[in-house]
Coordinates of all heavy atoms in Angstrom, one line a residue:
E1 N -123.3 -28.9 -20.9 CA -122.5 -27.8 -21.2 C -121.8 -28.1 -22.6 O -121.5 -29.2 -22.8 CB -121.5 -27.5 -20.2 CG -122.1 -27.1 -18.9 CD -121.0 -26.9 -17.8 OE1 -119.8 -26.7 -18.1 OE2 -121.4 -26.9 -16.6
A2 N -121.6 -27.1 -23.3 CA -121.0 -27.2 -24.7 C -119.6 -27.8 -24.6 O -119.1 -28.4 -25.5 CB -121.0 -25.9 -25.4
D3 N -118.9 -27.5 -23.5 CA -117.5 -28.0 -23.4 C -117.3 -29.3 -22.7 O -116.3 -29.7 -22.3 CB -116.6 -26.9 -22.7 CG -117.0 -26.7 -21.3 OD1 -117.9 -27.4 -20.8 OD2 -116.3 -25.9 -20.6
G4 N -118.4 -30.1 -22.6 CA -118.4 -31.4 -22.0 C -118.2 -31.4 -20.5 O -117.7 -32.3 -19.9
G5 N -118.5 -30.2 -19.8 CA -118.3 -30.1 -18.4 C -116.9 -29.6 -18.0 O -116.7 -29.4 -16.8
R6 N -116.0 -29.5 -18.9 CA -114.7 -29.0 -18.6 C -114.7 -27.4 -18.6 O -115.4 -26.8 -19.4 CB -113.6 -29.4 -19.6 CG -113.3 -30.8 -19.6 CD -112.1 -31.0 -20.5 NE -112.3 -30.3 -21.7 CZ -112.1 -30.7 -22.9 NH1 -111.8 -32.0 -23.1 NH2 -112.3 -30.0 -24.0
R7 N -114.1 -26.9 -17.7 CA -114.0 -25.4 -17.6 C -112.9 -24.9 -18.6 O -111.8 -25.5 -18.6 CB -113.7 -25.0 -16.2 CG -113.7 -23.5 -16.1 CD -113.6 -23.1 -14.7 NE -113.8 -21.7 -14.6 CZ -114.1 -21.0 -13.6 NH1 -114.4 -21.6 -12.5 NH2 -114.3 -19.7 -13.6
Q8 N -113.2 -24.0 -19.4 CA -112.2 -23.4 -20.4 C -111.6 -22.2 -19.8 O -112.2 -21.4 -19.2 CB -112.9 -23.0 -21.7 CG -113.5 -24.2 -22.4 CD -112.4 -25.2 -22.9 OE1 -111.5 -24.8 -23.5 NE2 -112.6 -26.4 -22.6
W9 N -110.2 -22.2 -19.9 CA -109.4 -21.1 -19.3 C -108.8 -20.3 -20.4 O -108.4 -20.8 -21.4 CB -108.3 -21.7 -18.4 CG -108.8 -22.5 -17.3 CD1 -109.0 -23.8 -17.3 CD2 -109.3 -22.0 -16.0 NE1 -109.5 -24.3 -16.1 CE2 -109.7 -23.2 -15.3 CE3 -109.3 -20.8 -15.4 CZ2 -110.2 -23.1 -14.0 CZ3 -109.8 -20.7 -14.1 CH2 -110.2 -21.8 -13.4
A10 N -108.8 -19.0 -20.2 CA -108.1 -18.1 -21.1 C -106.8 -17.7 -20.5 O -106.7 -17.2 -19.4 CB -109.0 -16.9 -21.3
G11 N -105.7 -17.9 -21.3 CA -104.4 -17.5 -20.8 C -104.2 -16.0 -20.7 O -104.6 -15.3 -21.6
R12 N -103.7 -15.6 -19.6 CA -103.5 -14.1 -19.4 C -102.0 -13.8 -19.0 O -101.7 -12.7 -18.7 CB -104.4 -13.6 -18.4 CG -105.9 -14.0 -18.7 CD -106.8 -12.8 -18.3 NE -108.2 -13.2 -18.4 CZ -108.9 -13.2 -19.5 NH1 -108.3 -12.9 -20.6 NH2 -110.1 -13.5 -19.5
E13 N -101.2 -14.8 -19.0 CA -99.8 -14.6 -18.5 C -99.0 -14.0 -19.6 O -98.9 -14.5 -20.7 CB -99.1 -15.9 -18.1 CG -99.6 -16.4 -16.8 CD -98.8 -17.6 -16.3 OE1 -97.6 -17.4 -16.3 OE2 -99.3 -18.6 -16.0
V14 N -98.3 -12.9 -19.3 CA -97.4 -12.2 -20.2 C -96.3 -11.7 -19.3 O -96.6 -11.0 -18.3 CB -98.0 -11.0 -20.9 CG1 -97.0 -10.3 -21.8 CG2 -99.2 -11.5 -21.8
A15 N -95.0 -12.0 -19.6 CA -93.9 -11.5 -18.8 C -93.9 -10.0 -18.9 O -94.1 -9.4 -20.0 CB -92.6 -12.1 -19.3
E16 N -93.8 -9.3 -17.8 CA -93.7 -7.9 -17.7 C -92.5 -7.4 -18.5 O -91.4 -7.9 -18.3 CB -93.7 -7.4 -16.3 CG -93.8 -5.9 -16.2 CD -93.9 -5.4 -14.7 OE1 -94.6 -6.1 -13.9 OE2 -93.2 -4.5 -14.4
E17 N -92.6 -6.4 -19.3 CA -91.5 -5.8 -20.0 C -90.4 -5.4 -19.1 O -90.6 -4.7 -18.1 CB -92.0 -4.7 -20.9 CG -90.9 -4.2 -21.8 CD -91.4 -3.1 -22.8 OE1 -92.5 -3.0 -23.1 OE2 -90.5 -2.2 -23.1
G18 N -89.2 -5.9 -19.4 CA -88.0 -5.5 -18.6 C -87.8 -6.4 -17.4 O -86.8 -6.3 -16.7
S19 N -88.7 -7.4 -17.1 CA -88.6 -8.3 -16.0 C -87.6 -9.3 -16.3 O -87.3 -9.6 -17.5 CB -89.9 -8.9 -15.6 OG -90.4 -9.8 -16.6
V20 N -87.0 -9.9 -15.3 CA -86.0 -11.0 -15.5 C -86.6 -12.3 -14.9 O -87.4 -12.3 -14.0 CB -84.7 -10.7 -14.8 CG1 -84.0 -9.5 -15.5 CG2 -84.8 -10.5 -13.3
A21 N -86.2 -13.4 -15.4 CA -86.6 -14.7 -14.9 C -86.1 -14.9 -13.5 O -85.0 -14.8 -13.2 CB -86.2 -15.8 -15.9
W22 N -87.0 -15.3 -12.6 CA -86.7 -15.5 -11.2 C -85.7 -16.5 -11.0 O -84.7 -16.4 -10.2 CB -88.0 -15.8 -10.5 CG -87.9 -15.8 -9.0 CD1 -87.9 -14.7 -8.2 CD2 -87.6 -16.9 -8.1 NE1 -87.7 -15.1 -6.9 CE2 -87.6 -16.5 -6.8 CE3 -87.5 -18.3 -8.4 CZ2 -87.4 -17.3 -5.8 CZ3 -87.3 -19.1 -7.3 CH2 -87.2 -18.6 -6.0
A23 N -85.7 -17.6 -11.8 CA -84.7 -18.7 -11.7 C -83.3 -18.2 -12.0 O -82.4 -18.7 -11.4 CB -85.1 -19.8 -12.7
G24 N -83.2 -17.2 -12.8 CA -81.8 -16.7 -13.1 C -81.2 -15.8 -12.1 O -80.0 -15.6 -12.1
V25 N -82.0 -15.3 -11.1 CA -81.4 -14.4 -10.1 C -81.4 -15.0 -8.7 O -80.7 -14.5 -7.9 CB -82.2 -13.1 -10.1 CG1 -82.1 -12.4 -11.4 CG2 -83.7 -13.3 -9.7
W26 N -82.0 -16.2 -8.5 CA -82.0 -16.8 -7.2 C -80.6 -17.5 -7.1 O -80.3 -18.4 -7.9 CB -83.1 -17.9 -7.1 CG -83.1 -18.6 -5.8 CD1 -82.7 -19.9 -5.7 CD2 -83.3 -18.2 -4.5 NE1 -82.8 -20.3 -4.3 CE2 -83.1 -19.2 -3.6 CE3 -83.7 -16.9 -3.9 CZ2 -83.3 -19.1 -2.2 CZ3 -83.9 -16.8 -2.6 CH2 -83.7 -17.9 -1.7
S27 N -79.9 -17.2 -6.0 CA -78.6 -17.8 -5.8 C -78.5 -18.8 -4.7 O -77.4 -19.2 -4.3 CB -77.5 -16.7 -5.6 OG -77.9 -15.9 -4.5
G28 N -79.6 -19.1 -4.1 CA -79.6 -20.1 -3.0 C -79.4 -19.6 -1.6 O -79.7 -18.4 -1.4
P29 N -79.1 -20.4 -0.7 CA -78.3 -21.6 -0.8 C -79.1 -22.8 -1.2 O -78.6 -23.8 -1.7 CB -77.6 -21.8 0.5 CG -78.6 -21.2 1.5 CD -79.2 -20.0 0.7
E30 N -80.5 -22.8 -1.0 CA -81.3 -24.0 -1.3 C -81.7 -23.9 -2.8 O -81.9 -22.9 -3.3 CB -82.6 -23.9 -0.5 CG -82.4 -24.0 1.0 CD -82.2 -22.6 1.6 OE1 -82.3 -21.6 0.9 OE2 -82.0 -22.5 2.8
H31 N -81.8 -25.1 -3.4 CA -82.4 -25.2 -4.7 C -83.9 -25.1 -4.5 O -84.5 -25.9 -3.7 CB -82.0 -26.5 -5.4 CG -82.4 -26.5 -6.8 ND1 -81.5 -26.3 -7.8 CD2 -83.6 -26.7 -7.4 CE1 -82.2 -26.3 -9.0 NE2 -83.4 -26.6 -8.8
V32 N -84.6 -24.3 -5.3 CA -86.0 -24.2 -5.2 C -86.7 -24.6 -6.5 O -86.1 -24.5 -7.6 CB -86.5 -22.8 -4.8 CG1 -86.0 -22.4 -3.4 CG2 -86.0 -21.7 -5.8
F33 N -87.9 -25.2 -6.4 CA -88.7 -25.5 -7.5 C -90.0 -24.7 -7.4 O -90.6 -24.5 -6.3 CB -89.1 -27.0 -7.4 CG -88.0 -27.9 -7.6 CD1 -87.2 -28.3 -6.5 CD2 -87.6 -28.4 -8.8 CE1 -86.1 -29.1 -6.6 CE2 -86.6 -29.3 -9.0 CZ -85.8 -29.6 -7.9
F34 N -90.4 -24.1 -8.5 CA -91.6 -23.2 -8.5 C -92.4 -23.3 -9.7 O -91.9 -23.9 -10.7 CB -91.1 -21.7 -8.2 CG -90.3 -21.2 -9.4 CD1 -90.9 -20.5 -10.4 CD2 -88.9 -21.4 -9.4 CE1 -90.1 -20.0 -11.5 CE2 -88.1 -20.9 -10.4 CZ -88.7 -20.2 -11.5
G35 N -93.6 -22.7 -9.7 CA -94.4 -22.7 -10.9 C -95.0 -21.4 -11.1 O -94.5 -20.4 -10.6
H36 N -96.1 -21.3 -11.9 CA -96.8 -20.1 -12.2 C -96.0 -19.0 -12.9 O -96.0 -17.9 -12.6 CB -97.4 -19.5 -10.9 CG -98.4 -20.4 -10.2 ND1 -99.6 -20.7 -10.7 CD2 -98.2 -21.2 -9.1 CE1 -100.2 -21.6 -10.0 NE2 -99.4 -21.9 -9.0
D37 N -95.3 -19.5 -13.9 CA -94.5 -18.6 -14.8 C -94.5 -19.2 -16.2 O -93.5 -19.4 -16.9 CB -93.1 -18.4 -14.3 CG -92.4 -17.2 -14.9 OD1 -93.0 -16.5 -15.7 OD2 -91.2 -17.0 -14.6
A38 N -95.7 -19.5 -16.7 CA -95.9 -20.3 -18.0 C -95.4 -19.5 -19.2 O -94.9 -20.1 -20.1 CB -97.3 -20.6 -18.2
S39 N -95.3 -18.2 -19.1 CA -94.9 -17.4 -20.2 C -93.4 -17.7 -20.5 O -93.0 -17.5 -21.7 CB -95.1 -15.9 -20.0 OG -94.4 -15.4 -18.9
R40 N -92.7 -18.1 -19.5 CA -91.2 -18.4 -19.7 C -91.0 -19.9 -19.9 O -89.9 -20.3 -20.1 CB -90.4 -17.9 -18.5 CG -90.4 -16.4 -18.5 CD -89.3 -15.9 -17.5 NE -89.1 -14.5 -17.6 CZ -89.7 -13.5 -16.9 NH1 -90.5 -13.9 -15.9 NH2 -89.4 -12.3 -17.1
R41 N -92.0 -20.7 -19.7 CA -91.9 -22.2 -19.9 C -91.0 -22.7 -18.9 O -90.7 -22.1 -17.9 CB -91.6 -22.6 -21.3 CG -92.6 -22.1 -22.4 CD -93.9 -22.8 -22.2 NE -94.8 -22.6 -23.4 CZ -95.9 -21.9 -23.3 NH1 -96.4 -21.4 -22.2 NH2 -96.7 -21.8 -24.4
L42 N -90.5 -23.9 -19.2 CA -89.6 -24.6 -18.2 C -88.3 -23.8 -18.1 O -87.6 -23.5 -19.1 CB -89.2 -26.0 -18.8 CG -88.3 -26.9 -17.9 CD1 -89.0 -27.3 -16.6 CD2 -87.9 -28.2 -18.7
Q43 N -87.9 -23.6 -16.8 CA -86.7 -22.8 -16.5 C -85.8 -23.7 -15.7 O -86.2 -24.2 -14.7 CB -87.0 -21.5 -15.7 CG -88.0 -20.6 -16.4 CD -88.4 -19.5 -15.5 OE1 -87.5 -18.7 -15.0 NE2 -89.6 -19.4 -15.2
Q44 N -84.5 -23.8 -16.1 CA -83.6 -24.6 -15.3 C -82.3 -23.8 -15.1 O -81.7 -23.4 -16.1 CB -83.3 -25.9 -16.0 CG -84.5 -26.8 -16.1 CD -84.2 -28.1 -16.8 OE1 -84.2 -28.2 -18.0 NE2 -83.9 -29.2 -16.1
S45 N -82.0 -23.5 -13.9 CA -80.7 -22.9 -13.6 C -80.0 -23.6 -12.4 O -80.6 -24.6 -11.9 CB -80.9 -21.4 -13.2 OG -81.6 -21.3 -12.0
A46 N -78.9 -23.2 -12.0 CA -78.1 -23.9 -11.0 C -78.9 -24.1 -9.7 O -78.8 -25.1 -9.0 CB -76.8 -23.2 -10.7
M47 N -79.6 -23.0 -9.2 CA -80.3 -23.1 -7.9 C -81.8 -23.0 -8.0 O -82.4 -22.9 -6.9 CB -79.7 -21.9 -7.0 CG -78.2 -22.0 -6.8 SD -77.7 -23.6 -6.1 CE -78.4 -23.6 -4.5
A48 N -82.4 -23.0 -9.1 CA -83.8 -22.8 -9.2 C -84.4 -23.5 -10.5 O -83.7 -23.5 -11.5 CB -84.2 -21.4 -9.2
T49 N -85.5 -24.1 -10.4 CA -86.2 -24.8 -11.5 C -87.6 -24.3 -11.5 O -88.4 -24.5 -10.6 CB -86.1 -26.3 -11.3 OG1 -84.8 -26.7 -11.2 CG2 -86.8 -27.0 -12.5
G50 N -88.0 -23.7 -12.6 CA -89.4 -23.3 -12.9 C -90.1 -24.4 -13.6 O -89.8 -24.7 -14.8
L51 N -91.1 -25.1 -13.0 CA -91.7 -26.2 -13.6 C -92.9 -25.9 -14.5 O -93.5 -26.8 -15.1 CB -92.1 -27.2 -12.5 CG -91.0 -27.9 -11.8 CD1 -91.5 -28.6 -10.6 CD2 -90.3 -28.8 -12.8
D52 N -93.4 -24.7 -14.5 CA -94.5 -24.3 -15.3 C -94.2 -24.3 -16.8 O -93.6 -23.3 -17.3 CB -95.1 -23.0 -14.9 CG -96.5 -22.8 -15.4 OD1 -96.9 -23.4 -16.4 OD2 -97.3 -22.0 -14.8
S53 N -94.4 -25.4 -17.5 CA -94.0 -25.4 -18.9 C -95.2 -25.2 -19.8 O -95.1 -25.4 -21.0 CB -93.4 -26.8 -19.2 OG -94.1 -27.8 -18.7
G54 N -96.3 -24.7 -19.3 CA -97.4 -24.2 -20.1 C -98.4 -25.3 -20.6 O -99.0 -25.1 -21.6
A55 N -98.7 -26.3 -19.8 CA -99.6 -27.4 -20.2 C -101.0 -26.8 -20.5 O -101.6 -27.3 -21.4 CB -99.6 -28.4 -19.1
C56 N -101.4 -25.9 -19.8 CA -102.8 -25.4 -20.0 C -102.9 -24.5 -21.3 O -104.0 -24.2 -21.8 CB -103.3 -24.5 -18.8 SG -102.4 -23.0 -18.6
Y57 N -101.7 -24.2 -21.9 CA -101.7 -23.5 -23.2 C -101.3 -24.5 -24.3 O -101.0 -24.1 -25.4 CB -100.7 -22.4 -23.1 CG -101.0 -21.4 -22.0 CD1 -100.0 -21.2 -21.0 CD2 -102.2 -20.8 -21.9 CE1 -100.3 -20.3 -20.0 CE2 -102.5 -19.9 -20.8 CZ -101.5 -19.7 -19.9 OH -101.7 -18.8 -18.8
G58 N -101.4 -25.8 -24.1 CA -101.1 -26.8 -25.1 C -99.7 -27.2 -25.1 O -99.3 -28.1 -26.0
A59 N -98.8 -26.7 -24.3 CA -97.4 -27.1 -24.2 C -97.3 -28.3 -23.3 O -98.3 -29.0 -22.9 CB -96.5 -26.0 -23.8
A60 N -96.1 -28.6 -22.8 CA -95.9 -29.8 -22.0 C -96.3 -29.6 -20.5 O -96.3 -28.5 -20.0 CB -94.4 -30.2 -22.0
L61 N -96.5 -30.7 -19.8 CA -96.6 -30.7 -18.4 C -95.3 -31.3 -17.8 O -94.9 -32.4 -18.2 CB -97.8 -31.6 -18.0 CG -98.0 -31.9 -16.5 CD1 -98.4 -30.5 -15.8 CD2 -99.1 -32.9 -16.2
S62 N -94.7 -30.6 -16.9 CA -93.4 -31.0 -16.4 C -93.5 -31.3 -14.9 O -94.2 -30.7 -14.1 CB -92.4 -29.9 -16.6 OG -92.2 -29.8 -18.0
A63 N -92.6 -32.2 -14.4 CA -92.5 -32.6 -13.0 C -91.0 -32.8 -12.7 O -90.2 -33.2 -13.6 CB -93.3 -33.8 -12.7
A64 N -90.6 -32.6 -11.4 CA -89.3 -32.9 -11.0 C -89.4 -34.2 -10.1 O -90.2 -34.3 -9.3 CB -88.7 -31.8 -10.2
V65 N -88.5 -35.1 -10.3 CA -88.4 -36.3 -9.5 C -87.3 -36.1 -8.5 O -86.1 -35.8 -8.8 CB -88.0 -37.6 -10.4 CG1 -87.9 -38.8 -9.6 CG2 -89.1 -37.7 -11.5
L66 N -87.7 -36.2 -7.2 CA -86.7 -36.0 -6.1 C -86.5 -37.3 -5.4 O -87.4 -38.1 -5.3 CB -87.3 -34.9 -5.2 CG -87.6 -33.6 -5.9 CD1 -88.3 -32.6 -4.9 CD2 -86.3 -33.0 -6.4
P67 N -85.3 -37.5 -4.8 CA -84.2 -36.6 -4.9 C -83.5 -36.7 -6.3 O -83.8 -37.6 -7.0 CB -83.2 -37.1 -3.8 CG -83.6 -38.5 -3.6 CD -85.0 -38.7 -4.0
G68 N -82.7 -35.7 -6.5 CA -82.0 -35.7 -7.8 C -82.4 -34.6 -8.7 O -81.6 -34.0 -9.4
G69 N -83.7 -34.3 -8.8 CA -84.2 -33.2 -9.6 C -84.4 -33.5 -11.1 O -84.4 -32.6 -11.9
R70 N -84.4 -34.8 -11.5 CA -84.6 -35.2 -12.9 C -85.9 -34.6 -13.4 O -87.0 -34.7 -12.7 CB -84.6 -36.7 -13.0 CG -84.7 -37.1 -14.5 CD -84.4 -38.6 -14.6 NE -85.3 -39.4 -13.8 CZ -86.3 -40.2 -14.3 NH1 -86.5 -40.3 -15.6 NH2 -87.1 -40.9 -13.5
I71 N -86.0 -34.0 -14.5 CA -87.2 -33.4 -15.1 C -87.8 -34.3 -16.1 O -87.2 -34.9 -17.0 CB -86.9 -32.0 -15.8 CG1 -86.2 -31.1 -14.8 CG2 -88.2 -31.4 -16.3 CD1 -87.0 -30.7 -13.6
I72 N -89.1 -34.6 -15.9 CA -89.9 -35.4 -16.8 C -91.0 -34.4 -17.4 O -91.7 -33.7 -16.7 CB -90.6 -36.6 -16.1 CG1 -89.5 -37.5 -15.6 CG2 -91.5 -37.3 -17.1 CD1 -90.1 -38.6 -14.8
S73 N -91.2 -34.5 -18.7 CA -92.2 -33.7 -19.4 C -93.0 -34.5 -20.3 O -92.4 -35.4 -21.0 CB -91.6 -32.5 -20.2 OG -90.9 -31.6 -19.4
V74 N -94.3 -34.3 -20.3 CA -95.2 -35.0 -21.3 C -96.0 -34.0 -22.0 O -96.3 -32.9 -21.5 CB -96.1 -36.0 -20.5 CG1 -95.4 -37.1 -19.9 CG2 -97.0 -35.3 -19.5
S75 N -96.4 -34.3 -23.3 CA -97.1 -33.4 -24.1 C -98.5 -33.3 -23.6 O -99.1 -34.2 -23.1 CB -97.2 -33.9 -25.6 OG -95.9 -34.0 -26.1
S76 N -99.1 -32.0 -23.7 CA -100.4 -31.8 -23.4 C -101.4 -32.3 -24.5 O -101.0 -32.2 -25.7 CB -100.6 -30.3 -23.2 OG -102.0 -30.0 -22.9
K77 N -102.5 -32.7 -24.1 CA -103.5 -33.2 -25.1 C -104.5 -32.1 -25.5 O -105.2 -32.3 -26.4 CB -104.2 -34.5 -24.7 CG -103.2 -35.6 -24.6 CD -103.9 -36.9 -24.2 CE -102.9 -38.0 -24.2 NZ -103.5 -39.3 -24.1
V78 N -104.6 -31.1 -24.6 CA -105.7 -30.1 -24.8 C -105.0 -28.7 -24.6 O -104.2 -28.5 -23.7 CB -106.8 -30.3 -23.7 CG1 -107.8 -29.2 -23.9 CG2 -107.4 -31.6 -23.9
D79 N -105.4 -27.8 -25.5 CA -105.0 -26.4 -25.3 C -106.2 -25.6 -24.8 O -107.2 -25.4 -25.5 CB -104.6 -25.8 -26.7 CG -104.1 -24.4 -26.6 OD1 -104.3 -23.7 -25.6 OD2 -103.6 -23.9 -27.7
F80 N -106.2 -25.3 -23.5 CA -107.3 -24.6 -22.9 C -107.4 -23.1 -23.3 O -108.3 -22.5 -22.9 CB -107.2 -24.7 -21.4 CG -107.5 -26.1 -20.9 CD1 -106.5 -27.0 -20.6 CD2 -108.8 -26.6 -20.8 CE1 -106.8 -28.3 -20.2 CE2 -109.1 -27.9 -20.4 CZ -108.1 -28.7 -20.1
E81 N -106.4 -22.6 -24.0 CA -106.4 -21.2 -24.4 C -107.3 -21.0 -25.6 O -107.9 -19.9 -25.8 CB -105.0 -20.8 -24.7 CG -104.9 -19.3 -25.0 CD -103.4 -18.8 -25.1 OE1 -102.6 -19.6 -25.7 OE2 -103.1 -17.8 -24.6
S82 N -107.4 -22.0 -26.5 CA -108.2 -21.8 -27.7 C -109.7 -22.0 -27.5 O -110.2 -22.4 -26.5 CB -107.7 -22.7 -28.8 OG -107.0 -23.8 -28.5

């Protein structure tokens, strides 16, 4: 295969016009961690953390270390969108 066996993905995420970031409206009581919102990248609020920082689009890959919720991000080496 021309791509060395890697599957190439096309980014299709676009925040819907007028929508609000889920992390900003969740009030708990539990702190939640979620993904699949790459268009907004890393989201950090008091009660919610969105970990999708867009690695498949060439941005960082992020993770939360628990307990504590410390965020670690590393740079992506490949942009699967191009």
Side-chain angles (χ1 to χ4, degrees):
E1 296 178 19
D3 65 2
R6 287 188 321 228
R7 184 171 188 158
Q8 295 294 311
W9 300 93
R12 306 219 188 279
E13 286 192 51
V14 177
E16 186 176 316
E17 187 175 332
S19 67
V20 295
W22 190 82
V25 297
W26 175 252
S27 59
E30 301 88 359
H31 187 102
V32 296
F33 294 85
F34 64 94
H36 300 286
D37 196 1
S39 64
R40 290 192 170 96
R41 302 291 195 244
L42 181 65
Q43 302 172 59
Q44 294 179 277
S45 67
M47 299 306 293
T49 302
L51 290 170
D52 193 337
S53 47
C56 66
Y57 304 122
L61 175 67
S62 297
V65 179
L66 300 174
R70 182 171 59 109
I71 304 297
I72 297 175
S73 296
V74 295
S75 297
S76 179
K77 293 185 178 189
V78 177
D79 180 350
F80 289 98
E81 188 174 38
S82 19

